[in-house]
Amino acid sequence: MSENPLDRPTVDHLDPQVFVDYLEKTRWFGGKGRPFEVTGVRRIGQVPGCVDVGPTVADHLVELTYRDAEGGRETYQVPLVLYTEAESRLDHAFIGWWEEPDLGWVHAYDALHDREAMACWLRSFVAASDSPVAGATGLTFHRLPGHDLDPEGVASLFTGEQSNSSVLFGEDSIMKLFRKVTAGPNPDITVHDALTRAGSTDIAALYGWMTWTDHAGEEYHLAMLQQFLRTATDGWDLALASVRDLFAEADLHAHEVGGDFAGESERLGWTLRDVHALLREHFGVERRGPEAARALADGMRARLDAALEVVPELAPHADALRATYDAVAALDGVDVQHVHGDLHLGQTLRTAKGWKIVDFEGEPAKPLAERLELDSPWRDVAGMLRSFDYAPRVVEKQSVDLSEDDAEAAAQLAYRAEEWAHRNRNHFLTAYADGEPTADEQVLLAAYVADKAVYETVYETRNRPGWVSIPLEAVARIGAA
Ligand SMILES: Nc1ncnc2c1ncn2[C@@H]1O[C@H](COP(=O)(O)OP(=O)(O)O)[C@@H](O)[C@H]1O
Ligand SMILES: O=P(O)(O)O[C@H]1O[C@H](CO)[C@@H](O[C@H]2O[C@H](CO)[C@@H](O)[C@H](O)[C@H]2O)[C@H](O)[C@H]1O
């Protein structure tokens, strides 16, 4: 790995502190609530599709150093659009104003919020159709053959909850700009590249990507352009709607309700099975021996120890969780391959042509090296099983808030939530495994489910404390089993 390219601020006329307030405001900044300083800002290039025809759009990497006990540094990508006059339509994305050597005083905004700036990105991808197009200072746009982009697609920023930022171009394509970045391949791009070239219909096809290379020759993958799935509905929203249907029908069981989700869960199982098979075909699969099984269990134990520091309520269940991991340590080996790494219902989209799986970046909080490691496909299955558990519990929570004093009604809702979860977990798992998982697979699956629930207790404590009871109750159920 090269020396960090952002060790010193490199944009002398720009006060690095202008980024601090803005970062705190955004959904995608992962360091919220932690003390940090901006210790480097590098202007990495201008978007070529803008030069001479649009506003100045300059991309920046902003390095943060955390000033808490955990410490560490992270790099975020913040493209700026620079206007010589204030643009009130972009007030919400204002970053600061300063004097630029060539432009004079400028008002700087997060470029993702500006239609004009994003049109330059699209033009850069369109121009890259035959061979990669590089901007003067090193942003390079790449394309995959097979799709003619619509050059007229009007840009609009996707408003969903995200770790990155996505922009739609008309109804044709969607660009995801990665916010937290590291040198090296981004699995979201490399996996989409492999699956698109293999002709997979279980994902949104890759159309292109953008890179930057630092002075030491290290390549950064900074953005990805994909097929826009026009008819898509989020799997998580569909699952919630199905649970609400069940809760609205007091006298019916899950399989009798119009909004029953079991058929969708089954199809999702088949889709994941196909994706894993293609990933094996393309990137291979390795059988690793008993030491790999022990290392896997050690990793789970270490994550539990770290989680106990953040969520002390896990303590009464720690021994039961460790017993689940001990069973993994006793296995004589484990098959590993490329996997999704952070799969849940929010990473699935139901389109008119079936389910699609998105976002192959892995868990955003993990370092790249860890996200690139091969893993067991049962990690992804476990992620989905946890999601089938979450959906009814979220609706249950909302419903119980409405009828706080009615203990009987609350117990009834809890019963029905479990009924929904059980039915959909089973349909998904049976479809994925094409029957029953083997005994060893069940050991792995149980441990990954426990590991994910532990991770979720930390995630919820930090992000949605009101929801932490959902994974905590799951952990308690594991302990009681
Ligand atoms: N190709 C696509 N077409 C339509 N919508 C998409 C597409 N890819 C992602 N989305 C939507 O954007 C949301 C965020 O995408 P995702 O890849 O999960 O971003 P992030 O990495 O920021 O979490 C998804 O939940 C989905 O609703
Ligand atoms: O989508 P991300 O990669 O940002 O994943 C993180 O956030 C998810 C929530 O948005 C979180 O998922 C957890 O909550 C979901 C419901 O909102 C639920 O379906 C998942 O099963 C549960 O894990 C995910 O863990 C986190 O990494």
Side-chain angles (χ1 to χ4, degrees), residues 15-28:
D15 174 3
Q17 296 312 317
V18 298
F19 290 97
V20 174
D21 289 346
Y22 188 68
L23 286 172
E24 288 279 11
K25 277 203 310 208
T26 65
R27 159 69 173 97
W28 43 263

Side-chain angles (χ1 to χ4, degrees), residues 95-348:
I95 293 196
W97 65 305
W98 56 77
E99 196 166 4
E100 283 280 334
D102 301 329
L103 297 169
W105 283 91
V106 294
H107 297 252
Y109 303 89
D110 184 332
L112 276 283
H113 292 256
D114 184 21
R115 209 163 258 184
E116 304 298 318
M118 295 321 292
C120 310
W121 244 280
L122 180 56
R123 276 198 288 279
S124 306
F125 277 117
V126 170
S129 64
D130 299 326
S131 52
V133 164
T137 43
L139 293 178
T140 306
F141 287 77
H142 310 256
R143 283 279 297 285
L144 212 61
H147 176 76
D148 289 330
L149 290 176
D150 171 7
E152 306 298 329
V154 173
S156 55
L157 182 63
F158 186 83
T159 52
E161 292 274 294
Q162 276 192 269
S163 331
N164 298 295
S165 297
S166 297
V167 174
L168 314 182
F169 293 115
E171 294 206 329
D172 180 49
S173 59
I174 176 167
M175 184 184 89
K176 173 151 80 170
L177 183 119
F178 298 106
R179 290 297 190 167
K180 193 164 107 188
V181 297
T182 345
N186 185 319
D188 215 3
I189 296 176
T190 51
V191 167
H192 273 110
D193 184 53
L195 294 179
T196 303
R197 289 178 199 272
S200 172
T201 53
D202 300 322
I203 50 143
L206 180 70
Y207 290 165
W209 66 101
M210 181 187 93
T211 56
W212 172 71
T213 305
D214 72 15
H215 59 263
E218 295 267 16
E219 194 177 57
Y220 285 62
H221 281 179
L222 296 178
M224 166 172 91
L225 188 74
Q226 272 184 295
Q227 171 188 21
F228 175 54
L229 300 169
R230 199 171 40 83
T231 61
T233 310
D234 191 280
W236 171 250
D237 292 338
L238 285 175
L240 292 184
S242 161
V243 178
R244 287 192 191 108
D245 276 355
L246 173 65
F247 285 9
E249 297 287 355
D251 301 326
L252 297 182
H253 286 289
H255 67 277
E256 297 165 329
V257 173
D260 182 24
F261 200 67
E264 296 297 358
S265 300
E266 188 172 44
R267 284 186 279 277
L268 264 170
W270 292 329
T271 303
L272 182 61
R273 188 184 168 82
D274 277 359
V275 166
H276 279 164
L278 265 183
L279 289 173
R280 273 197 296 278
E281 224 170 82
H282 189 87
F283 296 106
V285 56
E286 275 178 38
R287 176 71 185 170
R288 292 187 180 160
E291 65 297 337
R294 284 196 295 274
L296 183 58
D298 286 346
M300 292 174 174
R301 286 193 200 102
R303 277 194 289 280
L304 172 60
D305 290 342
L308 280 161
E309 300 283 321
V310 185
V311 192
E313 296 89 334
L314 284 170
H317 313 293
D319 286 346
L321 290 163
R322 289 193 187 105
T324 314
Y325 307 151
D326 289 347
V328 170
L331 293 175
D332 63 8
V334 49
D335 291 329
V336 291
Q337 62 163 97
H338 260 283
V339 299
H340 182 283
D342 186 27
L343 193 58
H344 52 85
L345 279 162
Q347 312 280 34
T348 67

Side-chain angles (χ1 to χ4, degrees), residues 27 161-164 236 240 340-347 359 361-365 382-391 394 452-453 455-456 459-460 463-464 467 470-471:
R27 159 69 173 97
E161 292 274 294
Q162 276 192 269
S163 331
N164 298 295
W236 171 250
L240 292 184
H340 182 283
D342 186 27
L343 193 58
H344 52 85
L345 279 162
Q347 312 280 34
D359 196 2
E361 211 188 353
E363 271 172 28
M384 288 301 295
L385 296 189
R386 288 292 312 126
S387 225
F388 287 123
D389 217 55
Y390 251 76
V394 166
K452 178 77 186 185
Y455 162 88
E456 287 164 348
Y459 177 85
E460 300 299 1
N463 294 282
R464 304 179 291 202
W467 283 19
I470 297 175

